Amino acid sequence: MAALDDRPSERVTGLRAVFSLPAAYRFAQKLIGADSFRRVVIDDILAVSPEERILDIGCGTADILEQLPPVDYVGFDHSDDYLAAARRRFGNRGRFITGTAAADLLDDVSERDLAMAVGVLHHLNDDEVRSALTVAERALRPGGRFVSIDPTFAPGQHRIGRWLASRDRGQHVRTPEATRRLVTEVLPDATVTVRHDLLRVPYSHVICQATRAAN
């Protein structure tokens, strides 16, 4: 969610290095209102119920666990540092796996009620998104749901929000329709909505929701 310029330069390289540290990452999230963002996401968008089985794709430091009810949580991320911070903070409240969406490291993670990717897909190119969606689809139980939330370029968004999205560290910010088309390649019933009110700063998010077919 952090809106940082990702263009190659010494200054930006330095910023990326700083914000790759777990503590700095969490601090940046707090500045833009990530705690209230997560509460709205959990209650209104993900609609998480106690004891649900959750797969968190690109979980980072797994801060969302702080506000989740008791659930069966599996998070995976490519960053050993982020996951080490998650393990220190949350212990056995979750299972944390290092790897990428393309790896066969989730073969024993199945029958999930919810697969979520919060602030993840805009960091992935189209092929990587397809791989992540395939992991989600295979992990979900029949009728299980997938939800992603990402910055977007959308009609009617605030010009500051568009500027911030254009300078996000993720290099694949998509329009709502481009997001929907990509997700429907794996989960055909995907729908998208756009919200402009989830952060303290002017910002636009595309929310994509889909359900794994019952068969």
PDB file of all heavy atoms in Angstrom, residues 13 53 59 117 164:
ATOM      1  N   THR A  13      16.462   3.834  -4.679  1.00  0.00           N
ATOM      2  CA  THR A  13      17.042   2.583  -4.224  1.00  0.00           C
ATOM      3  C   THR A  13      17.201   2.601  -2.718  1.00  0.00           C
ATOM      4  O   THR A  13      16.934   1.618  -2.031  1.00  0.00           O
ATOM      5  CB  THR A  13      18.403   2.341  -4.907  1.00  0.00           C
ATOM      6  OG1 THR A  13      18.194   2.278  -6.307  1.00  0.00           O
ATOM      7  CG2 THR A  13      19.022   1.043  -4.432  1.00  0.00           C
ATOM      8  N   ARG A  53     -10.639 -20.983   7.596  1.00  0.00           N
ATOM      9  CA  ARG A  53      -9.310 -21.397   7.134  1.00  0.00           C
ATOM     10  C   ARG A  53      -8.873 -20.423   6.047  1.00  0.00           C
ATOM     11  O   ARG A  53      -9.487 -20.361   4.985  1.00  0.00           O
ATOM     12  CB  ARG A  53      -9.366 -22.832   6.602  1.00  0.00           C
ATOM     13  CG  ARG A  53      -9.780 -23.856   7.662  1.00  0.00           C
ATOM     14  CD  ARG A  53     -10.292 -25.136   7.045  1.00  0.00           C
ATOM     15  NE  ARG A  53     -11.540 -24.894   6.307  1.00  0.00           N
ATOM     16  CZ  ARG A  53     -12.223 -25.847   5.657  1.00  0.00           C
ATOM     17  NH1 ARG A  53     -11.775 -27.089   5.652  1.00  0.00           N
ATOM     18  NH2 ARG A  53     -13.329 -25.540   5.021  1.00  0.00           N
ATOM     19  N   CYS A  59       1.814 -12.302   2.411  1.00  0.00           N
ATOM     20  CA  CYS A  59       1.339 -11.832   3.717  1.00  0.00           C
ATOM     21  C   CYS A  59       2.230 -10.773   4.345  1.00  0.00           C
ATOM     22  O   CYS A  59       1.821 -10.112   5.298  1.00  0.00           O
ATOM     23  CB  CYS A  59       1.192 -13.010   4.671  1.00  0.00           C
ATOM     24  SG  CYS A  59       2.746 -13.844   5.086  1.00  0.00           S
ATOM     25  N   ALA A 117      -5.368 -11.705  -1.148  1.00  0.00           N
ATOM     26  CA  ALA A 117      -4.131 -11.076  -1.617  1.00  0.00           C
ATOM     27  C   ALA A 117      -4.327  -9.573  -1.464  1.00  0.00           C
ATOM     28  O   ALA A 117      -4.910  -8.925  -2.338  1.00  0.00           O
ATOM     29  CB  ALA A 117      -3.843 -11.451  -3.065  1.00  0.00           C
ATOM     30  N   LEU A 164      -0.170   9.078  -6.545  1.00  0.00           N
ATOM     31  CA  LEU A 164       0.415   8.117  -5.611  1.00  0.00           C
ATOM     32  C   LEU A 164       0.469   6.717  -6.222  1.00  0.00           C
ATOM     33  O   LEU A 164       1.470   6.005  -6.098  1.00  0.00           O
ATOM     34  CB  LEU A 164      -0.383   8.092  -4.306  1.00  0.00           C
ATOM     35  CG  LEU A 164      -0.271   9.327  -3.419  1.00  0.00           C
ATOM     36  CD1 LEU A 164      -1.267   9.259  -2.269  1.00  0.00           C
ATOM     37  CD2 LEU A 164       1.146   9.487  -2.887  1.00  0.00           C
TER      38      LEU A 164
END
